Amino acid sequence: MRFLFLNLLSPLFSKPYYRHLLNLRHSLPLSYTTTMDAVEEALRKTLASKQASLEAQANAVRDLKASKASKPDLDAAIELLNALKLDKASTERKLLDAVGGANGGNGVSNEVFRQLVNNTLERRLFYIPSFKIYRGVAGLYDYGPPGCAVKSNVLAFWRQHFVLEENMLEVDCSCVTPEVVLKASGHVEKFTDLMVKDEKTGTCFRADHLLKDFCKEKLEKDLSLTVEKVVELKHVLAMLDDLSAEELGAKIKEYGITSPETKNPLSDPYPFNLMFQTSIGPSAASTGYMRPETAQGIFVNFRDLYYYNGNKLPFAAAQIGQAFRNEISPRQGLLRVREFTLAEIEHFVDPEDKSHPKFVDVANLEFLMFPREEQISGQQAKKLCIGEAVSKGIVNNETLGYFLGRVYLFLTHLGIDKERLRFRQHLANEMAHYAADCWDAEIECSYGWIECVGIADRSAFDLRAHTEKSGVPLVAQEKFSEPREVEKLVITPVKKELGLAFKGTQKMIVEALEAMNEKEAMEMKAALETKGELEFHVCTLGKAVSIKSNMVSISKVIKKEHQRVFTPSVIEPSFGIGRIIYCLYEHSFHTRPSKAGDEQLNVFRFPPLVAPIKCTVFPLVQNPKYEEVAKKISKSLTFGGISHKIDITGNSIGKRYARTDELGVPFAITVDSDTSVTIRERDSKDQIRVNVEEVASVVKAVTDGHITWANAQSRYPSHSSVSVDEE
Amino acid sequence: MRFLFLNLLSPLFSKPYYRHLLNLRHSLPLSYTTTMDAVEEALRKTLASKQASLEAQANAVRDLKASKASKPDLDAAIELLNALKLDKASTERKLLDAVGGANGGNGVSNEVFRQLVNNTLERRLFYIPSFKIYRGVAGLYDYGPPGCAVKSNVLAFWRQHFVLEENMLEVDCSCVTPEVVLKASGHVEKFTDLMVKDEKTGTCFRADHLLKDFCKEKLEKDLSLTVEKVVELKHVLAMLDDLSAEELGAKIKEYGITSPETKNPLSDPYPFNLMFQTSIGPSAASTGYMRPETAQGIFVNFRDLYYYNGNKLPFAAAQIGQAFRNEISPRQGLLRVREFTLAEIEHFVDPEDKSHPKFVDVANLEFLMFPREEQISGQQAKKLCIGEAVSKGIVNNETLGYFLGRVYLFLTHLGIDKERLRFRQHLANEMAHYAADCWDAEIECSYGWIECVGIADRSAFDLRAHTEKSGVPLVAQEKFSEPREVEKLVITPVKKELGLAFKGTQKMIVEALEAMNEKEAMEMKAALETKGELEFHVCTLGKAVSIKSNMVSISKVIKKEHQRVFTPSVIEPSFGIGRIIYCLYEHSFHTRPSKAGDEQLNVFRFPPLVAPIKCTVFPLVQNPKYEEVAKKISKSLTFGGISHKIDITGNSIGKRYARTDELGVPFAITVDSDTSVTIRERDSKDQIRVNVEEVASVVKAVTDGHITWANAQSRYPSHSSVSVDEE
């Protein structure tokens, strides 16, 4: 256990590269990354001591029986035993509550809530399991009409909020990607999950899932665990993503984990690449993959985009598109899928200047942040001002900070609850070695805290990888207004002398001399000047040689440079659109009692921006005159680009409201005259009366966010009608 | 030749199913589908007779020389020979012009024009060959910033024009598709192209491409072809898509076609499936494909969508998304690609009522139509009124006609030249056997007439195919307001009597009796009543048996039915977005001379709706005050959602105009004061003067199409400034 503990924190265990590639694919179960909390520890200890008392008392009762003690003595002892049992049971309940967390103690209600939301979503066709009539395919979902509308609203706002606002260069690249590109990016080699096979049936499982399920089940249900065992299991959970194939295999063996259904033995874990593979063209010789992220399309186009931007930094490119990951066994419904929409930004910046001119615009924003230190020391996320977080160095730089702020504004504007949104910094072992800093926007839902946006400073890694593989330099130039004088180190090995002294090994020595850094070279220069000779270790020879002052000349010269050539850093905010939308569904979902009080009605409280249908038009009663007015209003709404629905069924207004509340329609126009009509707002149920001619433009103004509902209420007379209202 | 001719027109040759699947993939080279035109035929005949005269005269000269004729006689004969040569050359030139068409006579200028457009498109990053730094992949292109913006403008307008206007149910389905779905649709078996291999190098070619190239080259360059040979080659071209593997192979052998580069022999043609194949999940047992069209996602969801629509017909579902086709050897640049965006509509309708309530809205539209009859009789497309076309039965039904009209409005609104847009009806041999009617919107560009939208009445084919394969009935019900009385035929074989008479074969006879249609049954009834017996042929037995009147009872009964259950017909307008955009580029492209007249400047005359950037903001001179105003205007434009570009470089206004004309920016705001500024319209170069506070809303109004530029000119003072204007 101790060994494991040490090992898990050692850098040998961390696979930061791999970790990055799986970005947006998992969210660490944070409750497990902190050490056991004090309450739980106390309860476990209490429980253990109560168990001991109970056993002692049980023995005492047995002894009394054996010794044929008097009935009053025996009764008293049994009564105590029962009291101890009750007492222990009460502690057990407390412990169950404490360890359950999101999936345990409140688990039942979380589960029920999720069922309720998902039933509504599926019944109203927000989503449909793909190819349902053919029994579907795990991890593939279609967006039905309201879901598709929500998605296109979210994407339109993303374009307005990021692309237009920041003048980003939006591109649209191929999904089919040739192997060479994904070899350069590391996906071919490392974009894998560890898989185990049922040795008899051949069914495949994710090795970490099985280990995770085992540990969680133990922790939540086995109350007899020792404190040490609890710590061990929690650490296994915390470090799950960092375990090697061998370590995972060892744990699976140690814990005796078998195939979930059949209980058959499992194979050793082995890597399975998560990309969908195909071949391009007719010859089968050209391997391709469906892209696992959109970012690579931007990186390979860097040179053209930089030129398009007038060879100026910083600039950002953006892309919205499908990405594909062939999950081994998709779980968590809409959160872990095999095909999904990403919206990614690659902001290219001079690594020596990561300031941002518009940082002041967000500097005063305050939101929940969860820096590395707080996570390690077992604290909670806390409200921080982003300006302060950057100035204190908690967030690495202004550009990264600017995007944290912009992402916060984006998500809350969509309707994400700001109390259930936090920005969690990656721990050192989660982060790629080249990354400067990395934060995830995590949204809390019934599945726990879900990573929905990753915001990473990836330094120059990606551009360098493609430069190397393609041979095309993906670099930027800074032209100096005046040439700059730069001090340059010049090392000139005297080949003739070296050749005489070291026949055969001369080449390696020349290379080693030329490869010295400034410090080494200056030390050598000093030594040669004072002593005329020194021992010099040549790695490629594996030994030291004696260098004399006539064998090398070392000097510093001043050179004029007209420009600086460098590989830009990239700061990457990457949005999992489907995850954001799912969390939005949960955060928007409410129930309210029907008027009769006999049932709970479902409402999606979407902001007008997001709502799939902005407005319904109901004639109050079936009447050709009212239907004519309704059609006229519908035509004006269409002209204004406002999605809406006419309902001329004879259903009661209450029933019609209930039906559209489930679709999150924010406004309802009721036609009860041919001159003026009422507009009802979904959440307040307030109504205003507006002229038929004006009504479409009022709804458009409120929907587009040009005026608020309160503004509209102050401009138009309110309308109260008991007969017209609810259920 | 005669044999081929007959064969090509015989229905045996047509593979309508296959033809449909390749929808949007090719455009028939229409010049070849008509018979040879009169001019060409006359020229070829003239040429042949001139050739004969020339040969005769050459013989005459030779004879004169041999007979040592007098010099004047010989000179006169040679003079005549030369005159005949010149005369023949002139006829040859005329014939070359006549046969060249888009790719011949005007071919050079078409080629040059295309180069000019494509150079501009690639230089300004409208598109980028995907993975360019890795030398690219044929048939894959990325949209760079302006191309991406044009695409999202086109899609946004598509949503407004179709989805919102018609209240369509938009969905968004998986690209990854399991095999069972594409087996049901026929793609696994039939979505193929015929391929030949270079027998030595293994390089693959499309068999029909090689044959097509051969025939075109012959027709355009070999002026000695006989009229019969010309007719033959043209018919091969016209029927290219309908040739079987054997027929294609035979033609390739007959014409001695070899591998283009190496001249090696070619293999026999064999089918290559055009879908990108992959496997879903870890086991490799589950084959999947990247969808070759978006339509199947809608068909498999029909039941849910019908329910969502309140179990009412007609309704339309729509989808925008990527589709994938693994072309053997992509050609024609942006027109024939391996990954592309489709926008598809599936309009479900009662097969017994294909009227459309909004048909009146388009009935008076007049546009170029090219009905089947005109194509067969060698005429040209002509302007027809769609109302008339439907009433005369040229277009099968109102719904199909309505969509033709709506597609016409969509394309011309985007900026497609209405004189280079025609609706071509499929010939009988192009159409699937189940299709009621099919029209392609074809746009003329430098590649010829290109199929950009297919509008097909596909009857009940797709829903029936998925019903059969999945076992889930994809049907609609019409509930009768009152039960209807329906006459039903009842055939009751008397099994006991049949068993006695036909031991062992009784079952087959019972089935054959029950399978009789109404006519057969009523004839049998009459025969049994009059003669008491008749000979009845039983297919499954392969012989006739004698049926007596006691062996079967046949009657008609009146039944009450409460509803009608039927498979809806589907009318499918399917848009190749990339093709439409490419044609739009060509139609929008113009050049104008620079002011100095020394060069041609490129302009894309995009309508504001389509333009990637709506507006530029230029301070007239570099001045902090003007830059401040420019930034203020930029902020208002961003708020209004208007994409724009500030240019504060010190370049001349003329240079800045030229730069943005190439991106098709329709409006330029020049800041030359801090109270009012000018707006210049790209095509007229007219300018108006507007207050700084108002300018953003004026640009927005013109861009969104709420007012026209002429409206704006009438509201604001015009501004003329020679010094500020052009080059």
Side-chain angles (χ1 to χ4, degrees):
Chain A
M1 215 285 292
R2 204 112 297 261
F3 171 70
L4 174 73
F5 191 96
L6 285 171
N7 244 348
L8 287 169
L9 293 180
S10 111
L12 282 175
F13 267 71
S14 82
K15 291 178 291 177
Y17 190 85
Y18 167 80
R19 197 56 189 74
H20 149 67
L21 290 174
L22 295 178
N23 207 355
L24 276 183
R25 295 196 48 256
H26 63 277
S27 67
L28 264 183
L30 248 268
S31 46
Y32 299 117
T33 62
T34 58
T35 50
M36 192 174 5
D37 77 14
V39 175
E40 186 189 341
E41 186 168 352
L43 282 169
R44 289 210 182 260
K45 284 184 174 160
T46 310
L47 192 64
S49 86
K50 289 196 172 161
Q51 179 64 28
S53 312
L54 190 65
E55 280 165 16
Q57 186 62 20
N59 286 339
V61 170
R62 214 172 301 123
D63 290 348
L64 287 173
K65 278 182 180 167
S67 65
K68 313 219 175 216
S70 69
K71 193 168 180 291
D73 282 359
L74 192 59
D75 284 351
I78 288 173
E79 201 174 321
L80 181 56
L81 182 66
N82 287 336
L84 285 171
K85 277 183 185 165
L86 282 173
D87 192 30
K88 186 196 153 207
S90 141
T91 309
E92 278 177 346
R93 274 196 303 277
K94 281 185 199 153
L95 179 57
L96 273 173
D97 281 354
V99 297
N103 299 297
N106 301 320
V108 180
S109 67
N110 258 342
E111 200 65 55
V112 168
F113 175 75
R114 188 192 305 151
Q115 270 305 324
L116 189 57
V117 176
N118 280 280
N119 286 347
T120 311
L121 289 172
E122 203 168 343
R123 186 163 38 78
R124 301 312 301 267
L125 250 50
F126 279 85
Y127 74 88
I128 311 165
S130 303
F131 317 109
K132 198 170 134 184
I133 61 169
Y134 292 102
R135 283 161 297 282
V137 176
L140 293 179
Y141 294 92
D142 296 344
Y143 289 84
C148 186
V150 167
K151 184 179 168 191
S152 68
N153 293 336
V154 168
L155 292 176
F157 179 59
W158 193 87
R159 281 210 171 94
Q160 164 80 26
H161 187 80
F162 291 106
V163 179
L164 192 70
E165 186 74 36
E166 315 288 347
N167 249 303
M168 292 176 180
L169 308 183
E170 189 181 345
V171 297
D172 183 4
C173 307
S174 274
C175 296
V176 175
T177 305
E179 187 164 45
V180 62
V181 173
L182 295 160
K183 272 194 171 156
S185 68
H187 286 86
V188 171
E189 200 190 337
K190 298 190 175 160
F191 191 63
T192 54
D193 269 344
L194 292 168
M195 182 157 88
V196 288
K197 255 190 187 154
D198 182 313
E199 286 195 340
K200 286 183 187 156
T201 66
T203 314
C204 303
F205 304 95
R206 261 182 68 173
D208 60 339
H209 278 179
L210 296 187
L211 182 56
K212 181 177 171 185
D213 291 348
F214 173 85
C215 295
K216 284 182 74 173
E217 170 117 6
K218 270 276 176 202
L219 285 168
E220 285 169 12
K221 304 211 172 130
D222 184 350
L223 300 176
S224 68
L225 287 179
T226 62
V227 170
E228 286 73 23
K229 195 73 191 169
V230 169
V231 172
E232 174 185 323
L233 292 176
K234 288 197 171 185
H235 272 285
V236 171
L237 284 172
M239 296 301 157
L240 212 51
D241 290 324
D242 295 325
L243 295 179
S244 70
E246 294 68 34
E247 289 154 2
L248 256 174
K251 278 283 144 203
I252 286 173
K253 282 221 165 56
E254 181 189 336
Y255 294 154
I257 299 171
T258 53
S259 181
E261 304 269 299
T262 63
K263 305 299 166 202
N264 292 330
L266 294 167
S267 74
D268 286 334
Y270 60 98
F272 171 74
N273 194 297
L274 296 175
M275 292 191 291
F276 284 102
Q277 191 179 329
T278 190
S279 37
I280 305 174
S283 77
S286 176
T287 298
Y289 299 92
M290 301 311 298
R291 64 179 177 195
E293 58 177 27
T294 69
Q296 301 306 324
I298 296 178
F299 296 137
V300 298
N301 285 325
F302 171 78
R303 210 165 58 143
D304 281 336
L305 294 169
Y306 178 60
Y307 167 77
Y308 185 83
N309 200 52
N311 293 329
K312 286 200 185 70
L313 282 186
F315 76 91
Q319 181 169 200
I320 297 171
Q322 292 303 91
F324 303 84
R325 292 177 186 180
N326 192 13
E327 297 286 345
I328 294 169
S329 49
R331 311 204 286 189
Q332 294 192 308
L334 296 170
L335 294 179
R336 178 66 50 92
V337 292
R338 286 177 165 152
E339 181 178 336
F340 49 96
T341 301
L342 284 181
E344 298 194 293
I345 295 167
E346 309 298 330
H347 181 94
F348 298 101
V349 64
D350 185 338
E352 292 179 10
D353 177 13
K354 294 184 180 174
S355 65
H356 197 289
K358 288 162 82 179
F359 183 67
V360 290
D361 296 351
V362 302
N364 292 325
L365 287 176
E366 236 187 51
F367 45 80
L368 281 176
M369 295 182 76
F370 202 7
R372 203 172 286 145
E373 303 309 319
E374 273 71 6
Q375 295 170 55
I376 290 170
S377 61
Q379 296 173 57
Q380 297 293 307
K382 61 184 178 191
K383 288 220 165 151
L384 278 177
C385 165
I386 184 68
E388 215 180 298
V390 170
S391 65
K392 282 186 175 161
I394 298 170
V395 171
N396 184 280
N397 58 70
E398 273 192 6
T399 300
L400 199 62
Y402 178 70
F403 280 114
L404 293 186
R406 292 291 295 170
V407 169
Y408 170 79
L409 291 174
F410 173 74
L411 294 173
T412 51
H413 208 75
L414 286 180
I416 293 295
D417 178 358
K418 66 182 195 300
E419 302 302 327
R420 290 196 280 165
L421 165 63
R422 72 181 181 193
F423 288 82
R424 190 180 70 78
Q425 190 172 32
H426 278 202
L427 298 174
N429 70 337
E430 287 177 77
M431 219 161 56
H433 62 91
Y434 52 80
D437 195 2
C438 188
W439 293 76
D440 288 340
E442 296 185 332
I443 305 176
E444 196 187 23
C445 73
S446 65
Y447 291 102
W449 286 96
I450 301 299
E451 175 192 348
C452 291
V453 187
I455 306 140
D457 182 336
R458 302 173 48 71
S459 79
F461 176 78
D462 308 279
L463 293 182
R464 283 213 182 109
H466 286 295
T467 297
E468 206 168 285
K469 192 87 179 176
S470 70
V472 175
L474 303 178
V475 293
Q477 298 89 31
E478 184 196 4
K479 293 230 158 56
F480 302 141
S481 46
E482 300 204 340
R484 287 188 196 169
E485 295 194 334
V486 185
E487 204 181 50
K488 289 250 163 182
L489 177 71
V490 180
I491 301 172
T492 317
V494 182
K495 290 183 183 168
K496 194 183 140 203
E497 297 296 331
L498 288 165
L500 285 171
F502 310 106
K503 259 182 218 132
T505 58
Q506 174 207 6
K507 193 166 160 273
M508 272 92 116
I509 298 167
V510 167
E511 283 171 0
L513 288 169
E514 285 174 340
M516 285 188 293
N517 64 26
E518 183 163 335
K519 188 164 163 275
E520 290 163 349
M522 295 322 287
E523 280 170 9
M524 179 179 278
K525 183 182 167 77
L528 292 178
E529 276 165 12
T530 53
K531 301 178 202 156
E533 180 167 11
L534 102 164
E535 288 297 287
F536 175 61
H537 186 81
V538 180
C539 282
T540 46
L541 292 178
K543 64 170 187 181
V545 296
S546 177
I547 299 291
K548 303 206 171 67
S549 53
N550 64 343
M551 294 177 183
V552 62
S553 99
I554 294 169
S555 61
K556 277 190 171 175
V557 296
I558 304 293
K559 280 197 172 176
K560 282 202 173 179
E561 289 200 338
H562 297 265
Q563 64 174 11
R564 180 169 74 93
V565 177
F566 60 94
T567 305
S569 280
V570 59
I571 289 166
E572 175 190 86
S574 171
F575 299 71
I577 297 298
R579 288 186 167 193
I580 294 171
I581 291 174
Y582 180 76
C583 292
L584 189 60
Y585 289 151
E586 282 205 7
H587 288 200
S588 305
F589 189 81
H590 291 84
T591 53
R592 61 179 170 208
S594 65
K595 208 183 177 190
D598 55 348
E599 55 174 334
Q600 288 292 315
L601 302 173
N602 305 322
V603 191
F604 281 109
R605 293 195 179 159
F606 297 127
L609 175 77
V610 165
I613 296 169
K614 307 304 180 193
C615 167
T616 47
V617 187
F618 300 144
L620 179 60
V621 290
Q622 280 183 313
N623 173 334
K625 206 171 64 179
Y626 292 175
E627 279 180 28
E628 216 36 60
V629 175
K631 280 184 188 158
K632 194 172 144 192
I633 293 171
S634 162
K635 217 163 178 179
S636 312
L637 289 168
T638 300
F639 179 76
I642 300 297
S643 61
H644 62 282
K645 212 174 173 169
I646 297 198
D647 186 344
I648 52 170
T649 62
N651 288 326
S652 77
I653 287 287
K655 221 172 196 170
R656 287 187 260 178
Y657 283 159
R659 204 186 275 173
T660 57
D661 279 353
E662 269 196 349
L663 291 174
V665 181
F667 303 105
I669 297 169
T670 303
V671 180
D672 55 359
S673 108
D674 55 1
T675 52
S676 76
V677 297
T678 67
I679 308 178
R680 174 231 194 210
E681 195 272 335
R682 178 194 60 215
D683 302 331
S684 62
K685 299 185 201 163
D686 289 343
Q687 297 185 56
I688 56 176
R689 183 160 279 283
V690 183
N691 281 339
V692 168
E693 278 67 33
E694 270 178 278
V695 66
S697 62
V698 173
V699 171
K700 183 172 169 60
V702 192
T703 300
D704 288 354
H706 293 145
I707 64 169
T708 63
W709 174 246
N711 293 151
Q713 281 183 301
S714 69
R715 287 192 210 170
Y716 297 93
S718 78
H719 173 87
S720 60
S721 155
V722 177
S723 68
V724 169
D725 216 298
E726 319 300 270
E727 306 68 40
Chain B
M1 214 281 295
R2 204 114 293 261
F3 171 70
L4 174 76
F5 192 97
L6 285 171
N7 246 348
L8 287 169
L9 294 178
S10 111
L12 283 175
F13 267 70
S14 84
K15 292 177 292 175
Y17 189 86
Y18 166 81
R19 198 56 190 70
H20 151 66
L21 290 173
L22 295 177
N23 207 354
L24 275 182
R25 295 196 48 255
H26 64 275
S27 68
L28 266 185
L30 248 269
S31 46
Y32 299 118
T33 63
T34 59
T35 49
M36 192 176 2
D37 74 15
V39 175
E40 186 189 342
E41 189 171 347
L43 282 168
R44 288 209 184 260
K45 282 185 178 159
T46 308
L47 191 64
S49 84
K50 288 195 172 158
Q51 177 66 28
S53 311
L54 190 64
E55 280 164 17
Q57 185 62 22
N59 285 338
V61 169
R62 213 172 302 124
D63 289 350
L64 286 172
K65 277 180 181 167
S67 65
K68 314 219 178 221
S70 69
K71 193 169 183 291
D73 281 359
L74 192 60
D75 283 353
I78 290 175
E79 201 176 321
L80 180 58
L81 182 67
N82 286 338
L84 286 171
K85 275 183 187 165
L86 282 173
D87 191 31
K88 185 195 155 206
S90 139
T91 309
E92 277 177 347
R93 274 196 303 278
K94 280 185 201 153
L95 179 58
L96 273 173
D97 281 354
V99 298
N103 298 296
N106 303 319
V108 179
S109 67
N110 258 341
E111 199 65 54
V112 168
F113 175 76
R114 189 193 303 150
Q115 271 304 325
L116 188 59
V117 176
N118 281 280
N119 286 348
T120 311
L121 290 172
E122 201 168 344
R123 185 163 40 77
R124 301 312 300 264
L125 249 51
F126 279 85
Y127 73 89
I128 310 166
S130 302
F131 318 111
K132 197 171 133 182
I133 61 170
Y134 292 102
R135 282 163 297 283
V137 176
L140 294 178
Y141 294 92
D142 295 346
Y143 289 83
C148 186
V150 167
K151 184 179 168 189
S152 70
N153 294 336
V154 168
L155 292 177
F157 179 60
W158 194 87
R159 279 208 172 93
Q160 166 78 27
H161 186 81
F162 291 106
V163 179
L164 193 69
E165 185 74 36
E166 316 287 345
N167 249 303
M168 293 178 180
L169 308 183
E170 190 181 344
V171 299
D172 182 4
C173 307
S174 273
C175 296
V176 176
T177 306
E179 187 164 45
V180 62
V181 173
L182 295 160
K183 270 193 173 156
S185 68
H187 286 86
V188 171
E189 201 192 333
K190 298 193 176 156
F191 190 63
T192 55
D193 268 344
L194 292 168
M195 183 157 89
V196 288
K197 253 189 188 156
D198 181 314
E199 287 196 338
K200 288 184 184 155
T201 66
T203 313
C204 302
F205 304 94
R206 260 182 70 172
D208 59 340
H209 278 179
L210 296 188
L211 183 55
K212 181 177 170 182
D213 291 349
F214 172 84
C215 294
K216 283 181 74 173
E217 171 117 3
K218 270 275 175 202
L219 284 169
E220 286 168 12
K221 303 212 173 129
D222 184 352
L223 301 177
S224 68
L225 287 179
T226 61
V227 169
E228 285 71 27
K229 196 74 189 170
V230 169
V231 172
E232 174 185 324
L233 293 175
K234 288 196 171 184
H235 272 285
V236 170
L237 285 171
M239 297 300 158
L240 211 52
D241 290 325
D242 294 325
L243 294 180
S244 70
E246 293 69 34
E247 288 154 1
L248 256 173
K251 277 283 144 202
I252 286 174
K253 281 221 165 57
E254 182 189 335
Y255 294 156
I257 300 171
T258 54
S259 182
E261 305 268 300
T262 63
K263 305 298 167 203
N264 291 331
L266 295 166
S267 74
D268 285 334
Y270 59 99
F272 171 74
N273 194 296
L274 295 175
M275 292 191 292
F276 284 103
Q277 189 178 332
T278 190
S279 39
I280 305 173
S283 76
S286 178
T287 298
Y289 299 92
M290 301 312 297
R291 63 179 176 193
E293 59 177 26
T294 69
Q296 301 306 323
I298 296 177
F299 296 137
V300 299
N301 285 324
F302 171 79
R303 209 165 59 144
D304 281 337
L305 294 169
Y306 178 61
Y307 168 77
Y308 185 83
N309 200 52
N311 293 330
K312 284 199 187 69
L313 281 187
F315 74 91
Q319 181 168 200
I320 296 171
Q322 292 303 93
F324 303 84
R325 292 176 186 181
N326 193 14
E327 297 287 345
I328 294 169
S329 50
R331 314 204 283 188
Q332 295 192 308
L334 296 168
L335 293 179
R336 177 68 50 94
V337 292
R338 285 177 165 152
E339 182 179 336
F340 49 94
T341 302
L342 284 182
E344 298 194 292
I345 295 167
E346 310 298 329
H347 181 94
F348 298 101
V349 64
D350 185 338
E352 293 179 8
D353 177 13
K354 294 183 180 174
S355 65
H356 197 290
K358 288 163 82 179
F359 183 67
V360 288
D361 296 351
V362 301
N364 292 325
L365 288 176
E366 236 186 51
F367 45 79
L368 280 175
M369 295 183 77
F370 201 6
R372 203 172 287 145
E373 302 310 318
E374 272 72 5
Q375 295 171 54
I376 291 171
S377 60
Q379 297 174 56
Q380 298 293 306
K382 61 183 179 192
K383 288 220 165 148
L384 279 177
C385 165
I386 184 68
E388 214 181 298
V390 170
S391 66
K392 282 188 176 161
I394 299 170
V395 171
N396 184 279
N397 58 69
E398 273 192 5
T399 301
L400 199 62
Y402 179 69
F403 279 114
L404 292 186
R406 292 293 293 169
V407 169
Y408 170 80
L409 291 174
F410 174 73
L411 293 173
T412 50
H413 208 73
L414 286 180
I416 293 294
D417 179 356
K418 66 181 193 303
E419 301 302 328
R420 289 196 280 167
L421 165 62
R422 72 181 181 195
F423 288 82
R424 190 180 70 78
Q425 190 172 31
H426 278 202
L427 297 175
N429 69 337
E430 288 178 77
M431 221 163 52
H433 62 92
Y434 52 81
D437 195 3
C438 188
W439 294 75
D440 289 339
E442 296 184 332
I443 306 177
E444 196 187 24
C445 73
S446 65
Y447 291 102
W449 286 96
I450 301 300
E451 175 191 348
C452 291
V453 186
I455 307 140
D457 182 335
R458 301 175 45 72
S459 78
F461 177 79
D462 308 279
L463 294 181
R464 284 216 181 108
H466 287 296
T467 297
E468 205 169 287
K469 191 85 177 178
S470 70
V472 175
L474 304 177
V475 293
Q477 296 89 31
E478 184 197 3
K479 294 226 159 59
F480 302 140
S481 46
E482 301 205 340
R484 288 188 193 168
E485 296 194 334
V486 184
E487 203 182 46
K488 289 249 162 183
L489 176 71
V490 180
I491 301 172
T492 318
V494 182
K495 289 184 186 164
K496 193 183 139 203
E497 296 297 332
L498 288 165
L500 285 172
F502 310 105
K503 260 181 217 133
T505 58
Q506 174 206 6
K507 193 166 159 274
M508 270 92 114
I509 297 168
V510 167
E511 282 171 0
L513 287 170
E514 285 173 340
M516 284 188 294
N517 63 27
E518 186 166 329
K519 186 164 163 274
E520 291 163 347
M522 294 323 285
E523 280 170 10
M524 179 179 279
K525 183 181 165 79
L528 292 179
E529 277 167 12
T530 53
K531 303 180 202 155
E533 180 170 7
L534 103 163
E535 289 296 290
F536 176 58
H537 186 80
V538 180
C539 283
T540 46
L541 293 179
K543 64 169 186 179
V545 297
S546 177
I547 299 291
K548 301 206 173 68
S549 55
N550 64 341
M551 294 176 182
V552 60
S553 98
I554 295 169
S555 61
K556 277 191 170 174
V557 296
I558 304 294
K559 279 196 171 179
K560 281 201 172 180
E561 290 201 336
H562 297 264
Q563 63 175 9
R564 180 169 75 95
V565 176
F566 61 95
T567 304
S569 280
V570 59
I571 288 167
E572 176 191 84
S574 171
F575 298 70
I577 297 298
R579 290 185 166 193
I580 294 172
I581 290 175
Y582 179 76
C583 292
L584 190 59
Y585 289 152
E586 282 205 6
H587 288 202
S588 305
F589 189 81
H590 291 83
T591 53
R592 59 178 170 209
S594 65
K595 208 183 178 188
D598 55 345
E599 54 174 336
Q600 288 292 315
L601 302 172
N602 305 322
V603 191
F604 280 110
R605 291 193 179 161
F606 297 128
L609 174 77
V610 166
I613 297 169
K614 307 302 183 194
C615 167
T616 46
V617 187
F618 303 143
L620 179 60
V621 291
Q622 280 184 314
N623 174 335
K625 206 171 65 176
Y626 292 173
E627 278 179 27
E628 218 33 63
V629 175
K631 280 185 186 157
K632 195 171 143 193
I633 293 171
S634 163
K635 219 165 178 176
S636 311
L637 288 168
T638 300
F639 179 76
I642 300 297
S643 62
H644 62 282
K645 211 173 174 172
I646 297 198
D647 185 344
I648 52 170
T649 61
N651 288 328
S652 77
I653 288 286
K655 221 172 195 172
R656 287 188 260 177
Y657 282 159
R659 204 186 275 173
T660 56
D661 279 354
E662 268 196 348
L663 290 174
V665 182
F667 302 105
I669 297 170
T670 303
V671 180
D672 55 0
S673 112
D674 55 0
T675 53
S676 76
V677 296
T678 66
I679 308 179
R680 174 232 194 212
E681 195 272 336
R682 180 194 59 216
D683 302 330
S684 63
K685 300 184 201 165
D686 288 343
Q687 297 187 56
I688 57 174
R689 184 159 280 283
V690 183
N691 281 339
V692 168
E693 279 67 32
E694 269 177 278
V695 67
S697 62
V698 173
V699 171
K700 185 173 167 61
V702 192
T703 299
D704 289 355
H706 292 144
I707 63 168
T708 63
W709 174 245
N711 293 150
Q713 281 183 300
S714 69
R715 287 191 211 172
Y716 297 93
S718 77
H719 174 86
S720 60
S721 155
V722 178
S723 68
V724 168
D725 215 298
E726 321 298 88
E727 306 73 31

